[in-house]
Amino acid sequence: MRVSVVIPALNEAGNIGRLVEETYAVIPSDMLGEVIVVDDCSSDDSVQLASSAGDPRVHVLRNLANQGTYGTQNAGLGSATGQWIAILNSDDLWAPDKLEKQLNALRRTGG
């Protein structure tokens, strides 16, 4: 089971490193398919910082015009390749067992 994580970003230079690292901490390496950072026309270093993650599973997309939260999320959803998709907004903080509990619930219910 592969998980794609979509991170919408607008001027998140101060948070983008934490957000990417959080995905590594919460999702086992063998289950993490990709991290898709979608930049919504940031005026700071968000794109450069996300691009410098040094992990081929991190992909950075850029909106050509500001799309807002849901348009930015949809851009990430459209390019996700995982069986499951998790959205990590910049103001979210995932509990260490968040996705494990969700994936276990999906397995139990046949999802």
Side-chain angles (χ1 to χ4, degrees), residues 1-8 23 27-38 57-59 61 73 75-88 94 98-99 102-103:
M1 182 176 301
R2 293 268 190 221
V3 178
S4 294
V5 177
V6 174
I7 302 174
T23 64
I27 302 174
S29 182
D30 62 329
M31 293 178 68
L32 179 60
E34 62 197 345
V35 177
I36 303 168
V37 177
V38 185
R57 296 174 297 180
V58 177
H59 308 281
L61 306 176
Q73 287 177 359
L77 294 173
S79 68
T81 62
Q83 293 167 290
W84 299 103
I85 300 170
I87 295 176
L88 178 56
W94 284 352
K98 171 209 183 332
L99 286 178
Q102 290 177 320
L103 293 171

Side-chain angles (χ1 to χ4, degrees), residues 43-73:
S43 60
D44 66 4
D45 293 334
S46 296
V47 170
Q48 293 82 358
L49 292 169
S51 298
S52 68
D55 186 330
R57 296 174 297 180
V58 177
H59 308 281
V60 179
L61 306 176
R62 297 183 81 175
N63 291 339
L64 297 177
N66 186 278
Q67 299 295 312
T69 301
Y70 299 110
T72 301
Q73 287 177 359

Side-chain angles (χ1 to χ4, degrees), residues 15-34:
N15 287 320
I16 201 69
R18 174 191 62 83
L19 294 166
V20 172
E21 289 300 318
E22 192 166 321
T23 64
Y24 298 147
V26 173
I27 302 174
S29 182
D30 62 329
M31 293 178 68
L32 179 60
E34 62 197 345

